[in-house]
Amino acid sequence: MALSATRRQSVLPLLASLAFVAIGVLLIREGDRSLMTSAAVVFFGVGAVLFAYLAITGRASLVLVQPTESRVELEPGGFAVLTAKGRRFPVRWASVRRVIAYKRDLWTTDEICVLFESDDGSGRQEVSEEWPGFADLFGVMERELGISPRWYMEIMMPPFEPTPRLLFDRAEHPPRPVEAGGA
C-alpha cells in the first residue's frame, strides 16, 4: 500500500519526536529532574502524538468533521474536478490558456498543486496532488499540451521552498493549423 505524500513526510518527524521522548524519559529515570528535561518530554510527546495522527490519517487538521475532498476524473477532451458535495468543474484541453505548477508549504509537508487557466469562461481550476486521480493527468497533459511529467520531480526540490513553474502558455504554443487535402 502506497502512502500519500502527507503520510510519508510525517514519518521522520514522528520518529525524531519519539527518540527525544525516549532520551528524556531515560534522563529522568537516571535522576535528572530539571524543568527543561520534563518540558522537552512533554513538548516532543505532544509532537509525537500529532505526527502519529498525521501519519495515520493523512490529514493535517484535527477537525473531527470529514473535510471535503475533491477528485479528478478524466473525460473525453479534458477532465473534471468533482467535489464531495457533488459539484463538477470541467476543464477542456482546447480551452486551456496557461498551466502553472507550485507548492504550498503546509509546515510539515509540501503540497504540489497545478492551476489551469481557461479561455472558455470557466476561469481557473486548481488541482492538488492529494486528490484521487491527480496522477492520471500526467500522461494526458503530455499528450494534449506537450507538458513532460519531469516537472513534478523538478518542483519538489528544494523542500519547503517556493518553486513555481509555468508549464504551458498557449501564446507560446499556438494550435497547429490543420492542412486541407493532405500533403
Side-chain angles (χ1 to χ4, degrees):
M1 177 177 93
L3 293 176
S4 71
T6 303
R7 289 178 173 178
R8 246 188 345 267
Q9 292 175 340
S10 63
V11 172
L12 185 59
L14 169 62
L15 295 175
S17 295
L18 290 173
F20 281 115
V21 167
I23 291 168
V25 168
L26 287 174
L27 287 173
I28 291 171
R29 290 187 77 195
E30 294 294 320
D32 183 349
R33 304 275 187 224
S34 71
L35 181 60
M36 283 301 281
T37 303
S38 299
V41 169
V42 171
F43 176 79
F44 287 107
V46 169
V49 169
L50 293 175
F51 286 119
Y53 174 82
L54 190 60
I56 292 167
T57 67
R59 293 185 309 185
S61 170
L62 294 178
V63 177
L64 299 177
V65 182
Q66 190 72 298
T68 58
E69 182 177 271
S70 298
R71 71 181 189 279
V72 177
E73 284 192 3
L74 296 180
E75 297 179 341
F79 68 94
V81 172
L82 304 168
T83 69
K85 294 183 179 182
R87 296 195 62 196
R88 184 177 173 278
F89 299 95
V91 174
R92 299 280 147 246
W93 296 120
S95 67
V96 172
R97 179 174 30 110
R98 288 178 38 168
V99 180
I100 302 165
Y102 54 93
K103 285 190 298 198
R104 260 194 205 113
D105 182 354
L106 301 178
W107 191 57
T108 60
T109 185
D110 284 331
E111 176 185 20
I112 296 176
C113 298
V114 180
L115 180 68
F116 295 87
E117 295 179 354
S118 298
D119 285 331
D120 64 359
S122 62
R124 307 169 92 185
Q125 180 58 57
E126 181 183 73
V127 178
S128 168
E129 72 175 329
E130 297 293 325
W131 298 352
F134 176 80
D136 298 339
L137 289 172
F138 285 53
V140 73
M141 283 171 55
E142 184 172 27
R143 186 175 62 248
E144 296 292 333
L145 303 175
I147 300 171
S148 169
R150 287 190 310 262
W151 69 267
Y152 186 76
M153 296 305 288
E154 292 168 358
I155 204 169
M156 289 175 113
M157 294 300 169
F160 307 111
E161 296 283 329
T163 53
R165 298 273 194 284
L166 176 63
L167 302 180
F168 177 79
D169 189 337
R170 179 86 53 201
E172 296 174 11
H173 300 89
R176 289 173 280 199
V178 178
E179 294 182 19

